[in-house]
Amino acid sequence: MVLHSAQDIMQALQAFEDPKIVITTHHKPDADAMGSSLGLKLFLDTFGYRVDVVSPTDYASFLNWMKDSESTVIYEHETELATQLALQADFIFCLDFNHLSRINEFGDVVARSNAKKVLIDHHQYPQGFEDFTFWDDMASSTCELVYRFIHANGMDSRIDKHVAACLYTGIVTDTGSFRFSNTGAETMRIAATLMDKGINHVQIFDSVYDSFTESRVRFIGYAISQKMEVLREYNTALITITGEELKAYNVITGDTEGLVNYGLSIEGIKFAVLIIDRNKIVKMSFRSKGNFAANQFAMQHFNGGGHFYAAGGSSDLNLEETIEKFKKTLVIYKAQLNGN
Ligand code: 5GP
Ligand code: MN
């Protein structure tokens, strides 16, 4: 894989007199996906370019304070407009994902578009569909990469407090509030630079972590107390959620974010898994500690991927069958899950 410098990418962009730009990110975008997309959009806006953010699906409402989030074109709601924007674009920035399957049907449109595609991402094993690659799987977050992209071009002065707030949020959430192993000194320096831009970090934390609905908090309590199995033999904690339970607690987009982590907070647990029946698909989240690679597990058994310690996947089987398959698969990893 050939990596491109931030300057090369910016030069290619500026070779166009008035480039039309689309920024897209993975379905059900999280804070890093939305923060990096909107942060990059607001930065590119300062050049007067036409920039549209297209998300394959809706996003969590706790991110709707981000500037211009309301202008996001949701592909599944505005398919024609999103398609037109992608086909007419000169550049498509692909943020926080590296495989076209992560943007659902919009992937076919992006593949068809003659636009130059720029990947800015920190997940392992990129598919390689893009023309320009700005990629580092050691980066804490895509937001950190967007900052590095701007900084390497000597354009920090174009970062206002809105860009900074978007980028800071993705760094916070992808590092688990600066505590995961992907947090480096450089991450902290970048966060400090963004704080210097005048963001209100207390308000950001409040929006992301302390603005849950009552039913979301009760749902978390229910999931942990009633639906979590601790499989000591495998140092694994498993939470499973049915479609009925999602309805009973009025669970909406974003409400299950972070739920998988509770399993990992139990002493000795090395692998935490959340399995949710999402109607047509059974969605899975994986988190791990120590030497256990969550993304390998997701990739090899559940059509997924992600990072070493945080990954996701899905299953075409029904919920019960998926749980059964998961438990059977665990057996293969028994020794590894009992090691360090
Ligand atoms: P989450 O469990 O929070 O949905 O996702 C954890 C990490 O795994 C994220 O970095 C996300 O991008 C990645 N991920 C989640 N689901 C999938 C999937 O179905 N396929 C792939 N390749 N990555 C996923
Ligand atoms: Mn990310």
Side-chain angles (χ1 to χ4, degrees):
M1 185 177 47
V2 180
L3 297 179
H4 296 85
S5 71
Q7 292 94 327
D8 282 351
I9 297 167
M10 206 62 206
Q11 259 170 31
L13 190 65
Q14 291 184 319
F16 284 76
E17 196 169 317
D18 203 7
K20 289 192 286 297
I21 300 166
V22 163
I23 299 172
T24 189
T25 190
H26 62 78
H27 71 110
K28 295 288 171 189
D30 57 6
D32 188 34
M34 283 305 282
S36 57
S37 298
L38 290 166
L40 181 66
K41 176 199 186 291
L42 297 170
F43 161 73
L44 292 171
D45 278 349
T46 66
F47 295 86
Y49 300 150
R50 163 88 202 249
V51 190
D52 291 281
V53 175
V54 177
S55 169
T57 66
D58 65 348
Y59 55 89
S61 60
F62 64 79
L63 300 172
N64 64 12
W65 56 268
M66 288 181 174
K67 187 165 183 244
D68 284 6
S69 60
E70 71 289 347
S71 71
T72 304
V73 178
I74 311 289
Y75 174 81
E76 66 179 6
H77 299 159
E78 293 178 88
T79 308
E80 224 164 277
L81 173 61
T83 303
Q84 222 176 47
L85 289 169
L87 294 181
Q88 289 171 1
D90 300 306
F91 274 81
I92 300 180
F93 282 81
C94 299
L95 268 54
D96 201 40
F97 74 95
N98 62 29
H99 202 285
L100 289 175
S101 62
R102 296 279 293 142
I103 55 173
N104 305 349
E105 289 82 33
F106 189 51
D108 296 334
V109 184
V110 170
R112 251 195 304 142
S113 171
N114 290 321
K116 291 283 179 210
K117 285 137 212 170
V118 182
L119 182 86
I120 303 183
D121 177 57
H122 69 136
H123 294 89
Q124 290 186 312
Y125 314 115
Q127 179 184 14
F129 61 84
E130 70 278 7
D131 302 288
F132 293 97
T133 312
F134 195 77
W135 177 88
D136 180 1
D137 65 340
M138 299 299 284
S140 69
S141 52
T142 301
C143 282
E144 176 173 335
L145 286 174
V146 169
Y147 173 77
R148 285 198 222 159
F149 175 77
I150 298 170
H151 182 72
N153 277 299
M155 294 175 173
D156 274 28
S157 61
R158 290 178 187 263
I159 299 178
D160 66 6
K161 68 173 182 195
H162 301 292
V163 175
C166 290
L167 299 183
Y168 182 85
T169 306
I171 294 175
V172 165
T173 56
D174 265 29
T175 59
S177 306
F178 305 106
R179 69 197 176 97
F180 297 154
S181 59
N182 60 358
T183 310
E186 185 58 17
T187 317
M188 303 303 256
R189 275 189 282 270
I190 292 171
T193 304
L194 296 173
M195 284 185 91
D196 277 340
K197 297 285 182 179
I199 63 172
N200 186 339
H201 70 279
V202 173
Q203 206 170 59
I204 290 175
F205 272 87
D206 190 67
S207 307
V208 175
Y209 294 115
D210 294 325
S211 297
F212 295 5
T213 56
E214 179 183 333
S215 68
R216 179 175 175 186
V217 177
R218 292 195 189 282
F219 172 70
I220 294 167
Y222 168 74
I224 296 170
S225 69
Q226 307 294 315
K227 303 302 309 277
M228 185 170 71
E229 259 186 275
V230 177
L231 309 162
R232 283 284 174 195
E233 218 183 329
Y234 303 103
N235 290 321
T236 294
L238 167 68
I239 296 176
T240 59
I241 304 290
T242 66
E244 290 76 43
E245 288 161 340
L246 292 179
K247 273 200 210 106
Y249 283 88
N250 295 314
V251 173
I252 54 167
T253 302
D255 279 0
T256 57
E257 192 105 28
L259 181 57
V260 63
N261 294 308
Y262 288 96
L264 263 201
S265 60
I266 302 169
E267 190 200 357
I269 295 301
K270 285 184 72 175
F271 193 33
V273 183
L274 172 66
I275 309 181
I276 304 179
D277 190 350
R278 296 252 181 220
N279 199 4
K280 277 180 223 122
I281 203 158
V282 173
K283 187 71 195 138
M284 309 175 79
S285 282
F286 304 101
R287 299 292 184 271
S288 65
K289 271 187 193 169
N291 62 0
F292 194 74
N295 59 351
Q296 291 286 349
F297 187 95
M299 215 172 350
Q300 277 168 27
H301 306 288
F302 293 102
N303 318 306
H307 310 286
F308 194 91
Y309 293 122
S314 59
S315 156
D316 301 328
L317 305 170
N318 69 28
L319 182 63
E320 255 93 76
E321 291 163 346
T322 304
I323 296 170
E324 204 182 307
K325 177 180 167 184
F326 170 73
K327 287 184 175 172
K328 275 196 185 135
T329 309
L330 267 189
V331 177
I332 309 171
Y333 295 91
K334 188 170 180 184
Q336 216 183 321
L337 287 163
N338 279 285
N340 293 316

